[in-house]
Amino acid sequence: MKKILILSLFVAALSGCTTMNNGKSAGAITVSGKIEKLGMTTFQYGTHLLKTADKSYALKSASINFDNYLNREVTVKGKKVAGYPIDGGPELIDVSLIKL
């Protein structure tokens, strides 16, 4: 019985010694490009698109009105949303900051 107790404490101690990933920088992204209104698409997420020279990103934000930046070159900072892209669409960014 003592051996089982010691073994279970050892296993519990080892499982508690894993390193934690810093959630603040996980999925962080900064991208520059032109904001466009999202029209008819095959994917159903995001409200606007950010088009760069070689890639497009779907954008969403609870605090930023992207209509104020339509057809302008901007830099956006945010986090990639886990689980995207889907349906052959672009990556989805939850934008927290936008600069002209």
Side-chain angles (χ1 to χ4, degrees):
M1 185 68 167
K2 240 185 199 181
K3 289 181 182 181
I4 293 174
L5 180 62
I6 291 172
L7 181 61
S8 63
L9 288 173
F10 179 72
V11 170
L14 280 179
S15 65
C17 291
T18 61
T19 58
M20 297 292 290
N21 187 8
N22 184 356
K24 291 183 180 179
S25 64
I29 186 169
T30 301
V31 183
S32 296
K34 193 177 203 179
I35 298 261
E36 294 183 2
K37 190 81 170 165
L38 191 63
M40 294 288 287
T41 64
T42 57
F43 55 93
Q44 298 289 316
Y45 55 89
T47 60
H48 291 73
L49 279 178
L50 179 74
K51 290 203 172 187
T52 66
D54 59 344
K55 196 170 182 179
S56 293
Y57 297 89
L59 304 176
K60 74 170 193 163
S61 179
S63 60
I64 297 172
N65 183 357
F66 295 117
D67 287 338
N68 296 334
Y69 301 95
L70 284 177
N71 300 315
R72 296 171 119 182
E73 290 289 328
V74 297
T75 300
V76 299
K77 290 185 180 185
K79 290 186 179 182
K80 290 183 183 179
V81 178
Y84 292 88
I86 56 174
D87 296 333
E91 293 181 67
L92 177 62
I93 301 174
D94 188 3
V95 179
S96 58
L97 179 68
I98 190 165
K99 292 190 277 185
L100 288 173

